[in-house]
Amino acid sequence: MKPYYTYLLLVSLVLLNACKKENESLQIAENENHKHWSYEGETSPEHWIEIERNSDCGGKRQSPINIIDIKTIAVDSAKTLKVSYSPETILNKVENNGHSVQFDFNEGDSINYKGETFHLKQIHFHEPSEHNINGVKYPIEIHLVHQSNSKKLSVISILCIEGEESQLFEFFESYLPIEINEFKEINKVVNLSDLFPKEQSFYSYNGSLTTPPCTEGVNWIVYKEPIIISLEEVLKLKKNMPLNNYRNEQELNERKVYYNY
């Protein structure tokens, strides 16, 4: 090879290597500057809009909200929600994702809401509750996340108060403790119908996910009547989740909240 071409090849290799190192440095800096959301400090819910800039967290139809009875619209439409849960639902696994304790299920259980079917994907917990009823916060809020074939989301919220022991909660908590970023395979049958309150009336509104990316367009179904779990069950769940893993109350922004009886 002629000296001239050898020189050009060497220069090209040096420049290519320099560009590669610069890109790696930029990538490292970008990763260091992007903080992951949490429930405390500089990455708490008050800062999600700043650190999750490509999300819906700054939108006008966000969740959770404070539901005030006298401001809801009462409609005779509780029958628009049909819960089709099998007594032989397969609980697939439990995981601690660092934000909550989450139980995942095999496909089978579903709800039909306003004529559309949504399949149960997972349930997780918040302590204390994210939704308030007439300004009151509850010790625990359970979210049952459902998704349609067209990827739309409907979330059922069940609030908990302290009292007697719940056998279903005892079953869930038998797989705790679980460390952050760990999961346990379960593959056992569970009857989730025992999780629902006896009184079937509920509030409904259009909102969002309560964690980033805070995706809007979520159907929220919040049961009015809470279920009862024991103080010990609350405390055990609390030990396996971040302290106060709830998002602040969001503005209603002229949205309508319905009381379905």
Side-chain angles (χ1 to χ4, degrees), residues 27 44 76 84 153 158 163 165 169 174 225 240-241 256:
Q27 186 64 47
S44 63
D76 183 7
S84 300
L153 293 171
I158 298 176
E165 181 181 282
F169 254 75
S174 67
E225 181 185 9
N240 286 269
M241 300 191 299
K256 295 178 180 178

Side-chain angles (χ1 to χ4, degrees), residues 206-225:
N206 186 272
S208 73
L209 296 179
T210 62
T211 58
C214 309
T215 306
E216 295 188 334
V218 175
N219 296 314
W220 274 98
I221 299 161
V222 182
Y223 275 95
K224 182 175 183 178
E225 181 185 9

